[in-house]
Amino acid sequence: MTKNGAADAVVVEHIEQILVVTINRPHARNAVSAAVTQGLVDALARAQHDSDIRVVVVTGAGEEAFCGGGDLKEMAGGRSLYPSPEIERAWGFGGFCRHPIDKPIIAAVNGYAIGGGVEIAMACDLVVATESAWFSLPEVRNGFLASGGGAIRAAQWLPRAIAMEILLLGESFSARRALEWGLVNRVVPDGRSLSTALDLAHRIATSAPLAVQATKRLVAGIVDGTAVTELEAWARNDREDGVVSETEDAKEGPRAFAEKRPPVWKGR
């Protein structure tokens, strides 16, 4: 058992040259807790430094959800979603969204990807989704910003008008709509997201690994382990998030969710 129960919260399997990483909290829609964050940090660090691993596939346990975002019940109880402040600063939401690695990452989205779940998918390089998958960035409905990279990357992946719509309305959209918009690469029958992601991973793994990694660095703007093209955006993100996260509304959102009632916004 690793610290914070990470071995239970995230299951890691090395299949040939692919590291399959599964968020393992199906009872909570695979929502991110401190243990999930630690498990994802450990998995990405392993992938980055193990030359036998050429591609990473990330998915969620069960068929209901890929990832339900941050665990609002944990937040309402005053528990951090990060095992330490250092990991929060260095790795970002879920230990995944802010610390790029050279190896390609494929998201196998099965079921719901909500909030931080979409942000994890957008931190990947390819996305495969099932027909029944649904996506949403509902943070504004819970008193937050999509500060795990959602507000930054939505405008990179999508046309500005569509990015604004999904961020400001916070409404769900289907896998088919995500495919039309360019947010996902493949939409496959239910139960096939992982097998399709593995097929893509195997095909990537047949290419020269150093060329693949250099290609990812060029496209993603990664220099010395940092996405340098996003530095200014992350600085603005952190300033806005620092203000919003201290408001009364930011406390009301998780509390209302835990109490199963509509939030009462104060605008302060």
Side-chain angles (χ1 to χ4, degrees):
M1 176 73 69
T2 57
K3 60 184 177 180
N4 297 312
D8 292 330
V10 174
V11 176
V12 177
E13 186 178 6
H14 192 170
I15 303 174
E16 298 177 2
Q17 295 167 313
I18 301 163
L19 195 70
V20 179
V21 182
T22 304
I23 303 172
N24 189 37
R25 299 185 74 218
H27 60 283
R29 284 191 170 183
N30 295 318
V32 170
S33 62
V36 169
T37 299
Q38 184 66 57
L40 291 177
V41 166
D42 293 344
L44 290 187
R46 174 181 172 183
Q48 176 67 18
H49 298 293
D50 188 341
S51 60
D52 290 334
I53 296 169
R54 296 190 180 182
V55 186
V56 177
V57 173
V58 62
T59 192
E63 293 301 321
E64 182 182 5
F66 167 70
C67 175
D71 192 326
L72 293 180
K73 290 184 179 179
E74 291 284 297
M75 295 168 67
R79 293 178 289 276
S80 176
L81 303 184
Y82 301 91
S84 71
E86 292 75 22
I87 284 179
E88 179 177 7
R89 287 192 296 270
W91 293 81
F93 177 77
F96 200 95
C97 292
R98 197 161 177 165
H99 192 99
I101 66 171
D102 294 347
K103 313 293 176 69
I105 307 175
I106 304 173
V109 177
N110 46 315
Y112 290 96
I114 302 171
V118 176
E119 291 174 320
I120 287 174
M122 289 195 297
C124 297
D125 303 298
L126 300 174
V127 181
V128 176
T130 59
E131 290 276 4
S132 63
W134 283 84
F135 299 79
S136 66
L137 285 162
E139 280 85 350
V140 294
R141 292 184 166 195
N142 294 314
F144 302 111
L145 300 178
S147 60
I152 294 172
R153 294 193 175 112
Q156 295 174 352
W157 284 68
L158 304 167
R160 184 179 185 275
I162 294 173
M164 283 292 192
E165 179 176 340
I166 66 173
L167 288 163
L168 297 181
L169 296 181
E171 295 176 348
S172 299
F173 52 94
S174 69
R176 283 290 170 191
R177 182 58 59 86
L179 181 66
E180 293 170 9
W181 287 341
L183 185 62
V184 306
N185 299 84
R186 303 279 193 281
V187 174
V188 298
D190 290 355
R192 294 285 301 279
S193 61
L194 181 57
S195 62
T196 303
L198 285 170
D199 175 66
L200 290 170
H202 281 296
R203 289 157 63 187
I204 292 170
T206 63
S207 296
L210 298 183
V212 167
Q213 292 160 34
T215 298
K216 172 171 176 174
R217 288 194 297 269
L218 283 170
V219 173
I222 300 170
V223 178
D224 296 329
T226 299
V228 294
T229 55
E230 295 180 350
L231 286 176
E232 181 182 348
W234 277 113
R236 290 186 286 109
N237 179 90
D238 292 348
R239 286 194 296 271
E240 295 286 4
D241 185 51
V243 172
V244 172
S245 64
E246 294 300 318
T247 63
E248 290 184 30
D249 284 352
K251 298 176 177 63
E252 166 65 5
R255 188 164 53 236
F257 177 84
E259 295 172 2
K260 298 181 179 180
R261 60 172 175 79
V264 179
W265 305 123
K266 302 290 182 61
R268 59 177 185 267

